[in-house]
Structure formats: structure tokens, C-alpha cells
Amino acid sequence: MKFLHTPTTDLTYADVFLVPSRSDVLSRLDVDLAPADGTGSTLPIVAANMTAVTGRRMLEAMARRGGLGVLPQDVPADIAGEVIEWVKSRPVLFDTALWVRRHDTVLEVQHLLPKRNHAAVTVVDDEHRPIGIVRAADCANTDQFTSAANVMVDVPVTVAAEDVTKAALPEIFAKLQAAGTDYAVVTAADGTVAGALTAAGLLRGTIYTPAVDAQGRLQVAAAVGINGDVAAKARTLLEQGADVLVVDTAHGHQQKMFDALAAVRSVAPDAVIAAGNVVSADGTRDLIEAGADIVKVGVGPGAMCTTRMMTAVGRPQFSAVLECAEAARALGKQVWADGGVRYPRDVALALAAGAAQVMIGSWFAGTYESPGDLQVDPDTGRAYKESFGMASKRAVQHRTAGDELFERARKAIFEEGISTSRMYLEADRGGVEDQLDAITAGLRSAMSYAGAHNLAEFHERALVGIQSSAGYEEGRPLAQSW
Ligand SMILES: NC(=O)C1=CN([C@@H]2O[C@H](COP(=O)(O)OP(=O)(O)OC[C@H]3O[C@@H](n4cnc5c(N)ncnc54)[C@H](OP(=O)(O)O)[C@@H]3O)[C@@H](O)[C@H]2O)C=CC1
Ligand SMILES: Nc1nc2c(ncn2[C@@H]2O[C@H](COP(=O)(O)O)[C@@H](O)[C@H]2O)c(=O)[nH]1
Ligand SMILES: [K+]
């Protein structure tokens, strides 16, 4: 990456822009987005280890499209085991279906519908065979206590699981179009429901490459903190099937972290380990020396984060990523840019600065696949989910629930995140895959403007200029005349 001008100050994403260069990229779909950091990812996006962001549905959706989700450190070991096993049992080429039994109520259907971006729930009989589907429109003007069987319509299209191959996706898409539907039920050989397919999902199946482990199952990452028996927690997560470990704390450049990292490395000599967070070349080198393959970069840019206002500590994220990525590369390692991403352009800039992947939290909290329940603002009718920081009072209270009262009170002193915020779902783009579509469209285009066929070339060729806030403002679209 080269600067158009010499920076005189540290920069964040809004401070910089990419200059187009001569290109021989013939199509944006020819661009390769796979990161070279040892994870199985084919897409450089990671869903953050935040309680309001990543649970089983986020893990599944991210990996199916080639990305990675990180299970938060606060998830109890037995639940983490269940979640990882469940994700590893998920289909790779089609989705997990939402389903109800025939006597379940419309109320239950309405509660389930926003859990996934399918706009339909499958109704099953006692043998789990599909007998109909219910869409939001079928629930309108009905009593909420009516049974699903009373409002369901016929299953529009059924596809056998064994027939869902990458090559067959266009053909199945055509089948849905011919039937005038966006939804198909996938069935196992015994006729039971195996999953669901949507028209958008079929199209995505031809564009994205799932991120899978050596046995072809969806990949999963899991986080551990730096307190307690870190080695035992890491060993358990690996035994449960985690593919990537993330050792995570606010101040990654501290002795306790080096010790934790060494402990994790001792039980996981061959695992891919990410650790952070830091924002300096020194911090990066120390984490790599302590055993990290990937260094997580970012202190204070996060949308839920109050660290900079509480402590003044941190660093504008673009410069932090640039410096840390250079230090990591010199040692043959990589960084993830963590936090502060609000638009696809920010992802492109982080990768141009040399990050292998970009971690996104709050943006993804506002999607169907995040763990929270969908809520509706009574004034505007807009749907949202709640998000909160992992260093907020809310998260700390949750994390320390098993501690003695004195210890809990002591830990509650250091609050560095907000406990509640609303992340609105975008109209017609409420799924995390919709957001991945937007991010990858922006990124593919940015790379072709730079004449880059892959992420290594993108970093090498990117020409970055520094802009005033007026320059940034000029780039924003206008919803009405000035
Ligand atoms: N990227 C970012 O900007 C930030 C991210 N977070 C996220 O919040 C979550 C909780 O992290 P964390 O607060 O580290 O909690 P942890 O539970 O991981 O504990 C951190 C440990 O480090 C010690 N410590 C020493 N100095 C610091 C410091 N300046 N800040 C925090 N801990 C320190 C703490 O001891 P003692 O309590 O006795 O001081 C404690 O033992 C993580 O997911 C983290 O990524 C939090 C803040 C910033
Ligand atoms: N200082 C704090 N940082 C936090 C907290 N919770 C999460 N985080 C960090 O933010 C990123 C995600 O950033 P986003 O802009 O995409 O939301 C996450 O990975 C953490 O590093 C917090 O309470 N305080
Ligand atoms: K912030």
C-alpha cells in the first residue's frame, strides 16, 4: 500500500480513500477474496465474539458463506460444546429450516420467522415430514392462537438433499422460479425435513465457497479470556471441535496475555490462534513471540466501546491496522482489523492496509441471525435488536455471575462499554448474508478499481489518499436535494 500524501497524523477509515489505478481485472466476480491466514475462510469477514452478535445461527451463516464466527468467551463450556457440535452437523449447501408442528400456534410461527431470513416456516407432521409452509402473510388477520395447520399453504417445491450439489443450484433456482416461489423444503431420504433453500441462498451458493474443516463441516472459532485455567478452556474447545481459537482481552499487550497465550499454545501446538487486542508494532511482535498466528488489532474503535472516552487510550483504526499488519508480515504472520466498521468501504480500507480479515460486531448485531430477539420501535415501526459491549456493566455482570459478591463489585468498577444500544435492521436487507452481499460487492469492486486479483495484490497495489471531512461528506449519497 502507498500513500498519495505523507500523513502527519494517525488516520481512521473516514480519513482515507482509495485512488483508482490501471486494471486488467475483467470481472469483479473473478476477484479472489480468500485470506491467507491459515483459517479455512474463503471470505475475509469475521463475526465478533460478542454476546449480542455471535451465537449458533451467526456461526452457521458466516461459515456457509466462507467466513468465520467467533463464539464469545462468556459461553459456558457445556453450551459451547453443544453449539459447536450443532454447527458442525449443519448442511453446507442449504440452510437449516425453521419448523413448527401442526398444532403449534401462529404466535409461535411469528416468533420464529425473524430467526432466519427465509420468510417461511415449514410445518411438519409427527414423523417430521413436511406438510405445508407458513409465511408472514399467512399469519395476517388471523387469531394468534390459531394452529399453524389452519393457515399453512402447500409446500411449493421439495428438493431431495442428495440432489443439492453446487452444479445443480442453477437448476433448482429455475425450479423455484417456475413454481413462482422463493422457498423450497429440502428433504432427507426418509422424507423428513433436512433443511430449506431460498432463491437468494441458491444464488449465493454459486458465488460463495463455504468455509469447512478437514471433514467438510462448517468451521467455527471460539474465544477464551486471559483469566482462570486458560489452557484447560482451550483444550476443551479444541476437543469440542473449534477450528480456530481467539485469546481475547481489552489490553492484549500485557504479561497476563503472554502467559495465557503460552498456555494455549502449549495445549494447541498446531491450532490457528488469534490474540489481541493491540494497536502497535511492538504489541504485535510481542503477541507473535508469545505464540499468536494472528494478531487482533483495535482498541477503542468499536461501536459499543467507551474505552477512548474513559481512558483516552486507543488509536485511529486505519493507522493501527497499517502499522500492525506490517509488523506481523515481517514475521510471516497476519492481523485481523477488529472494530469500527460501518460501511463496506471500511472493510476495503482495512484489507488495503494489510489486514488478512476484518472483524465486525455491532453491524451484524442488527441482523436476523444475531442471538437477540427482534424488537419493533413503536414510534417508527422499524425493527431492531439490542447490542451491548463485552466490557459493559451488563456483560461484566453476566461474566462474573459465578464470582463472590465482593469480587463482582470490584470487577464492575471498570466499565468500558455501553450496556444497551439499538441496531436497526436494514429494510429488505435484514439477514447477515444480505450484509455480506453488500460488503463483498463493495470489496470486489474496490479491488478491481485497484487492479487487484486477490487480497495480496490489493494490499500491494492500493493507493490511499487522505481527505478532509468535507471530502468524506462529498462521498455520501443524498436522500434529498440540498
Ligand atoms: N477492542 C477494544 O477496544 C476493547 C475490547 N474489550 C472487550 O471486552 C471483553 C472483556 O475484556 P477485558 O475487560 O479485558 O476482561 P477480561 O475478563 O479479559 O480480563 C482482563 C484481565 O486483564 C487485567 N487488566 C489489566 N489491565 C487491564 C486493562 N487496562 N483493561 C482490561 N483489563 C486489564 C484485568 O485485571 P483487573 O480487572 O484486576 O484490572 C483482568 O484480569 C473482551 O471481549 C474484550 O475484547 C474491552 C475493552 C476494549
Ligand atoms: N472498548 C470496548 N470494546 C468492545 C466492547 N465490546 C466489544 N468491543 C470491541 O468492539 C469490536 C467490534 O466492533 P464493532 O464496531 O464492529 O461493534 C469487538 O470485536 C471488540 O474488540 C466493549 O464493551 N468495550
Ligand atoms: K467507539
Side-chain angles (χ1 to χ4, degrees):
M1 195 215 91
K2 284 198 194 69
F3 273 117
L4 194 59
H5 338 88
T6 310
T8 53
T9 178
D10 272 1
L11 304 162
T12 194
Y13 297 131
D15 294 324
V16 289
F17 62 94
L18 287 162
V19 184
S21 321
R22 184 175 170 140
S23 171
D24 65 357
V25 176
L26 297 181
S27 164
R28 287 169 286 192
L29 286 170
D30 292 343
V31 161
D32 181 3
L33 300 180
D37 60 359
T39 61
S41 294
T42 60
L43 186 79
I45 310 290
V46 184
N49 45 306
M50 294 169 68
T51 306
V53 176
T54 304
R56 61 181 74 206
R57 284 175 292 129
M58 185 64 74
L59 291 168
E60 175 194 7
M62 289 299 294
R64 190 173 288 118
R65 299 306 169 212
L68 184 63
V70 188
L71 203 58
Q73 55 166 294
D74 298 348
V75 177
D78 52 338
I79 310 278
E82 265 174 43
V83 169
I84 295 170
E85 190 183 347
W86 184 86
V87 175
K88 298 265 171 205
S89 74
R90 295 301 85 204
V92 170
L93 282 177
F94 52 88
D95 288 2
T96 299
L98 295 170
W99 58 271
V100 291
R101 296 187 194 283
R102 67 172 85 216
H103 300 303
D104 288 335
T105 62
V106 161
L107 188 63
E108 278 159 287
V109 171
Q110 285 172 325
H111 180 71
L112 277 180
L113 273 167
K115 299 265 178 206
R116 294 179 184 274
N117 201 11
H118 294 172
V121 173
T122 299
V123 185
V124 300
D125 66 11
D126 293 343
E127 275 73 48
H128 207 69
R129 287 183 301 236
I131 54 171
I133 68 164
V134 183
R135 301 151 303 175
D138 303 320
C139 303
N141 311 317
T142 2
D143 189 296
Q144 286 187 314
F145 298 100
T146 306
S147 72
N150 275 345
V151 296
M152 71 185 181
V153 296
D154 288 345
V155 176
V157 172
T158 305
V159 185
E162 63 193 29
D163 294 339
V164 186
T165 59
K166 188 156 184 176
L169 297 180
E171 199 183 307
I172 303 171
F173 186 91
K175 209 169 158 184
L176 264 67
Q177 298 295 299
T181 182
D182 281 345
Y183 185 79
V185 176
V186 182
T187 50
D190 61 0
T192 58
V193 174
L197 271 170
T198 62
L202 283 157
L203 187 63
R204 290 182 182 118
T206 66
I207 297 171
Y208 297 91
T209 304
V212 293
D213 62 18
Q215 294 159 65
R217 305 171 306 172
L218 297 174
Q219 71 169 1
V220 177
V224 287
I226 59 171
N227 288 323
D229 191 345
V230 184
K233 289 182 198 166
R235 191 187 295 112
T236 302
L237 286 167
L238 288 174
E239 284 166 4
Q240 288 165 335
D243 301 290
V244 175
L245 293 176
V246 177
V247 189
D248 176 48
T249 190
H251 184 21
H253 201 184
Q254 56 160 314
Q255 187 59 43
K256 221 171 182 174
M257 170 55 116
F258 307 146
D259 297 343
L261 204 38
V264 174
R265 185 48 88 197
S266 72
V267 296
D270 304 319
V272 176
I273 302 175
N277 281 17
V278 298
V279 287
S280 66
D282 271 353
T284 305
R285 285 190 282 265
D286 285 346
L287 288 186
I288 291 171
E289 197 181 309
D293 301 302
I294 297 163
V295 174
K296 208 150 68 74
V297 177
V299 173
M304 298 300 107
C305 172
T306 58
T307 299
R308 299 230 188 123
M309 302 321 284
M310 290 293 289
T311 66
V313 171
R315 189 172 185 188
Q317 182 70 346
F318 183 80
S319 296
V321 173
L322 185 63
E323 181 177 306
C324 296
E326 198 181 345
R329 254 160 225 263
L331 298 171
K333 304 290 182 187
Q334 299 287 334
V335 305
W336 289 353
D338 174 21
V341 168
R342 297 170 192 189
Y343 299 102
R345 73 182 292 284
D346 304 337
V347 172
L349 287 163
L351 296 167
Q357 302 215 47
V358 182
M359 189 173 236
I360 297 179
S362 308
W363 184 357
F364 288 172
T367 63
Y368 292 126
E369 291 79 2
S370 71
D373 275 334
L374 194 73
Q375 313 207 35
V376 177
D377 182 332
D379 297 328
T380 62
R382 288 181 69 193
Y384 68 91
K385 289 204 179 175
E386 268 194 16
S387 185
F388 57 96
M390 294 308 286
S392 65
K393 182 178 272 178
R394 181 169 172 177
V396 172
Q397 277 177 349
H398 175 68
R399 184 151 59 239
T400 57
D403 294 358
E404 284 175 9
L405 283 179
F406 178 76
E407 190 57 18
R408 287 192 82 186
R410 203 187 68 80
K411 285 182 179 159
I413 294 171
F414 296 102
E415 203 184 313
E416 284 184 28
I418 59 175
S419 283
T420 179
S421 114
R422 284 183 182 188
M423 291 292 136
Y424 287 99
L425 275 71
E426 260 182 71
D428 301 324
R429 302 179 74 99
V432 70
E433 292 169 301
D434 296 324
Q435 301 306 338
L436 291 179
D437 289 348
I439 290 168
T440 53
L443 176 59
R444 284 176 182 281
S445 203
M447 289 170 69
S448 88
Y449 275 116
H453 299 86
N454 54 49
L455 291 176
E457 281 183 22
F458 187 42
H459 171 55
E460 200 180 296
R461 294 177 60 92
L463 181 59
V464 171
I466 300 167
Q467 64 189 349
S468 63
S469 55
Y472 181 76
E473 201 50 39
E474 181 188 57
R476 293 169 73 91
L478 291 181
Q480 57 188 48
S481 62
W482 48 94

